[in-house]
Amino acid sequence: MKKGSFAECISVAWPLVLAMAGNALMMFADRLFLARYSAVSIQAALPAGLMAFMAIAFLQNVVAYSGTFVAQYAGAGSRAACARAMGQGVWLSVLCVPVLLATIPLGNWFFAWAGHAPEVVAEERAYYLTLVMGNLALPFASALAGFFTGQGFTRLVMTANLIGNGVNVLLDPVFIWGWGPIPEMGIAGAGIATALSQYLLLGILAVAIFRERHLSTPRRRRVAFAWKQEAVLRIARFGLPSGGHVLLDVSTFTVFVFVTGRMDALSFSASNIAFSINHLIFAPLMGVGMAGTILTGQRMGNEDPDGAARAGRNCLLLGWGYILLCAGVLACFHEPVLRLFFPNEAPFSYAAYLALGRKLMTIFLAWAFFDTMNIVLGGALKGAGDTRFVMCWVAGSALFLWMPALFGFYAAGFSIVTLWLTMLGYVILAGCGLSFRFLRGKWKAIRLI
């Protein structure tokens, strides 16, 4: 199999695509159960979920960058160095714990500031707390998973994720509505189910790690997990911009969600539901982006920048093919999908909800083409170590163009459709900039290891 070929991209990507699809289906199930539980719960789910994700996104992606070091060491043929890079990722995870705990009061303050209805704020706080407690496991899981994915062993990570997701879906109705001795807990129960699944994922990966040949003896484990300040700082040097990029992306998206939360109930609910469907489509695409990071990293570690460029291009084609398939499916089945999420006792008609939902789905299918460039080519640039440019370009596009347009149109009283169009413009600009950077090839001169 030729390095960086389309066949290699598919081989590495498909388990990651399934793993991300499993995550998306898990969140889809959470949203579906909560929509059936109450209209207040579905309104609280997306804002609280985004805040929890924003709290973990930065730290998890800093830690996950240890997996890019693993990929480059794997390309260079040193599995012992792969184990050491993973060990430093675990140390970074330890440093994440107090930071995550400190976000709990900050999130509670933010929900009160956002101006949502009191009953929505109460559910947002309950959901957020349980999600943050579960998120404590994610940096550690990312560090351990990076040891396998960085070497191209993506099937184990897929299996662990799917098991955790399946347990989450099974536990959702038990904890939301109650069963036997377990009381009805509503939205907090959905958060508890998610947290338990995340710790299960971590446990599976930990068992797999300690069965690895390079970590099978106490001496090898001491070497791999020994604190190495220079290595930790080097991972942080490249990982901080990578995490910063994700944090800025998620933060501006969260601001968008909270701005729409100040609109009428129809616009807020339809927007939240459309984003839930959008996540179901785009989460598997993240697996293609991860494959681009891995393969680019491996080729750069092997001092093959042309192979790295080939891998990035082929992953992009794979991502575009997936998006075209999704667009065809939604064109045929958009109404049944929207009907699934129509909340019980909604204060608006189904006809109005369906009409607005169709418009918003059309917009996110339009931006899908460019967001594929953001996810895949941004991932490839990160795999080569070009994390600072990715962060700066995305930050500039969001903070100086999208956010001013969003607040300007909102203040002028424009509709939710217009506000969504501002996001489309941002995605187009970000995607074109990353594409230009990738094609110029300056990243080929970066040496990560």
Side-chain angles (χ1 to χ4, degrees), residues 354-378:
L354 183 61
L356 181 56
R358 283 173 175 165
K359 292 179 182 178
L360 300 185
M361 287 178 70
T362 301
I363 294 173
F364 79 59
L365 287 174
W367 84 46
F369 178 87
F370 296 95
D371 216 16
T372 302
M373 295 156 63
N374 290 330
I375 293 169
V376 178
L377 296 185

Side-chain angles (χ1 to χ4, degrees), residues 79-303:
R79 291 202 69 190
C82 292
R84 291 195 297 271
M86 179 272 297
Q88 305 318 300
V90 172
W91 276 111
L92 281 172
S93 302
V94 173
L95 300 177
C96 292
V97 172
V99 180
L100 275 172
L101 293 175
T103 65
I104 294 174
L106 178 64
N108 289 337
W109 168 83
F110 193 77
F111 295 131
W113 172 85
H116 297 172
E119 63 273 17
V120 174
V121 172
E123 298 221 350
E124 285 171 339
R125 287 177 169 176
Y127 194 40
Y128 179 72
L129 175 62
T130 55
L131 290 178
V132 171
M133 297 309 294
N135 283 348
L136 293 174
L138 291 182
F140 295 94
S142 293
L144 302 186
F147 177 74
F148 298 107
T149 58
Q151 298 177 77
F153 306 144
T154 52
R155 296 186 188 185
L156 172 65
V157 175
M158 172 195 71
T159 302
N161 272 275
L162 292 180
I163 291 173
N165 299 151
V167 169
N168 189 155
V169 174
L170 291 174
L171 292 179
D172 264 339
V174 174
F175 287 104
I176 292 173
W177 283 280
W179 182 73
I182 299 174
E184 178 181 340
M185 290 183 277
I187 196 169
I192 291 171
T194 299
L196 291 174
S197 73
Q198 289 167 344
Y199 282 101
L200 176 61
L201 167 64
L202 175 58
I204 294 170
L205 292 173
V207 170
I209 281 289
F210 287 109
R211 295 183 64 184
E212 276 293 301
R213 181 169 60 88
H214 284 278
L215 293 158
S216 60
T217 66
R219 178 182 176 278
R220 287 175 174 174
R221 288 195 289 269
R222 282 196 301 270
V223 171
F225 290 104
W227 168 268
K228 296 179 176 63
Q229 181 172 321
E230 183 179 352
V232 170
L233 291 176
R234 188 160 181 81
I235 293 172
R237 174 189 166 192
F238 289 93
L240 285 169
S242 177
H245 157 237
V246 176
L247 176 62
L248 286 164
D249 202 23
V250 175
S251 298
T252 50
F253 181 74
T254 302
V255 169
F256 181 90
V257 170
F258 276 92
V259 168
T260 59
R262 292 174 175 266
M263 304 187 76
D264 60 277
L266 170 62
S267 297
F268 185 34
S269 295
S271 182
N272 281 1
I273 289 165
F275 275 129
S276 296
I277 299 169
N278 173 66
H279 179 73
L280 187 64
I281 291 174
F282 274 92
L285 189 61
M286 300 299 293
V288 181
M290 291 168 65
T293 302
I294 292 164
L295 293 173
T296 302
Q298 289 180 352
R299 294 301 92 226
M300 291 298 289
N302 196 37
E303 299 184 1

Side-chain angles (χ1 to χ4, degrees), residues 14 42 121 141 431:
W14 75 260
I42 191 60
V121 172

Side-chain angles (χ1 to χ4, degrees), residues 10-11 37 58-59 106 130 221 253 265 270 285 298 326 334 341 345 348 393 404 419 421:
I10 293 176
S11 176
Y37 183 73
F58 172 70
L59 298 172
L106 178 64
T130 55
R221 288 195 289 269
F253 181 74
L285 189 61
Q298 289 180 352
C326 291
H334 60 276
F341 282 94
E345 303 175 0
F348 43 80
W393 180 258
L419 300 188
L421 288 173

